[in-house]
Amino acid sequence: MSTGSAPPARRPLPSGAVGRYLLGARPRTLPAAVVPVVVGGALAYVVSRGWLDAGTGPAPAMGWGRALGALVVALAVQIGTNYANDYADGVRGTDDRRVGPPRMVASGLASPAAVRRAALASFAVAGVAGTVLAALTTWWLVPVGAACMAAGWLYTGGPRPYGYLGLGELFVFVFFGLVATAGTTYVAVGRIPGATWVAATAVGLLATALLEANNLRDVAGDTRSGKRTLAVRLGAGRARWLYGASVGAALVAGALVAMWRPWALLVLAAAPLAVAPVRLVWSGAEGPGLLPVLAATGRLQLVAGALLAVGIVL
């Protein structure tokens, strides 16, 4: 008789095409794309009202359409990255014994070629929207956008995927924190005030914590398959502390935006949402026991991002 707790039952696999591709898009990871645009848009709005960066000339008009375009780009890159990850890990066999939600290729829900096409189609949407934004602002956005898409594909794709080298957190921090937040502010008002980089640091750390939650859950499987994520390289013990430090540092960085916009301290109201996932991670839970952490981290990311944006605007 088993003395351990049984793993949670898996939900039935979706049978329809829409359900399959929705599963592959990984909705729980999409806050990583939405939050930087919301925060960057909030910063752009206060610049347009003359409440921030006022010493650099007349307040520019707020480009709401360009901010919406930035959201399209961010979501398309995130979804494309998720499909590319599903494809690459599926053909490598990395997902054959995973703990988390099933993946399309590994579960046989779609062929590798179909998932690869979905990834390329998502990146194409990002490319078209990004080109329009570049035409409206500056063509320097084209190489930046290309770098974002390349980072999405090469996370687990290509001959030497950087996600297998323990560099995933660094790239997530840069592209889903600094680049996405500052890029949104720039395309909306043509400026990047100093407060943007502090806010972008908070956003990037939240996105990093989301990836750490995923990688910590999959440490055992990734170790067996040779996927040496940062959690694998550090070991589960250090990876648990890294997760908690990322969450705490994100809230501190968000609070530091109060040096420019005092109501940014509202972000600290999200701190109670961090207690349960951090406690679960630090309790020593493993594998299936960590399944709730990813969803809880996504909620924390959304709430903290929304409170930070509201605090910036107030």
Side-chain angles (χ1 to χ4, degrees):
M1 184 173 63
S2 173
T3 58
S5 59
R10 285 186 181 271
R11 290 177 296 176
L13 296 178
S15 57
V18 173
R20 291 197 296 270
Y21 283 94
L22 182 62
L23 174 71
R26 306 184 198 177
R28 288 182 177 178
T29 69
L30 298 187
V34 174
V35 168
V37 176
V38 171
V39 173
L43 287 158
Y45 175 75
V46 296
V47 169
S48 74
R49 297 299 297 263
W51 300 340
L52 183 66
D53 208 30
T56 58
M62 176 66 185
W64 292 106
R66 296 192 296 275
L68 181 60
L71 179 61
V72 172
V73 171
L75 284 170
V77 168
Q78 175 69 69
I79 292 171
T81 299
N82 289 342
Y83 285 137
N85 177 232
D86 193 310
Y87 162 74
D89 277 351
V91 297
R92 281 190 170 91
T94 308
D95 284 340
D96 289 349
R97 297 179 63 186
R98 62 177 285 101
V99 174
R103 297 294 179 237
M104 296 174 72
V105 173
S107 300
L109 290 172
S111 69
V115 177
R116 181 178 58 194
R117 286 194 297 270
L120 295 175
S122 300
F123 287 137
V125 170
V128 171
T131 301
V132 171
L133 286 176
L136 294 173
T137 54
T138 173
W139 289 107
W140 279 108
L141 289 179
V142 172
V144 172
C148 291
M149 289 184 280
W153 182 266
L154 295 175
Y155 174 56
T156 53
R160 287 183 62 81
Y162 65 84
Y164 284 54
L165 302 175
L167 298 174
E169 282 81 356
L170 174 62
F171 278 77
V172 164
F173 175 79
V174 170
F175 287 103
F176 286 97
L178 304 183
V179 173
T181 306
T184 299
T185 304
Y186 182 80
V187 299
V189 292
R191 298 179 188 172
I192 305 178
T196 304
W197 299 111
V198 180
T201 297
V203 171
L205 287 167
L206 287 168
T208 300
L210 193 69
L211 179 60
E212 288 164 353
N214 180 81
N215 289 345
L216 182 59
R217 179 198 64 200
D218 293 336
V219 161
D222 287 344
T223 301
R224 287 193 300 268
S225 63
K227 184 177 181 180
R228 293 185 57 77
T229 63
L230 185 59
V232 171
R233 289 175 177 271
L234 291 176
R238 290 191 181 96
R240 295 178 195 281
W241 284 102
L242 180 62
Y243 171 81
S246 297
V247 169
L251 294 173
V252 170
L256 289 176
V257 180
M259 292 188 295
W260 293 270
R261 305 293 298 165
W263 280 99
L265 289 172
L266 274 175
V267 72
L268 296 178
L273 293 177
V275 174
V278 170
R279 181 180 294 166
L280 183 56
V281 166
W282 284 356
S283 73
E286 299 178 346
L290 290 170
L291 285 172
V293 174
L294 186 63
T297 307
R299 285 192 296 271
L300 171 65
Q301 187 178 30
L302 275 175
V303 173
L307 289 172
L308 180 58
V310 170
I312 289 169
V313 170
L314 288 179

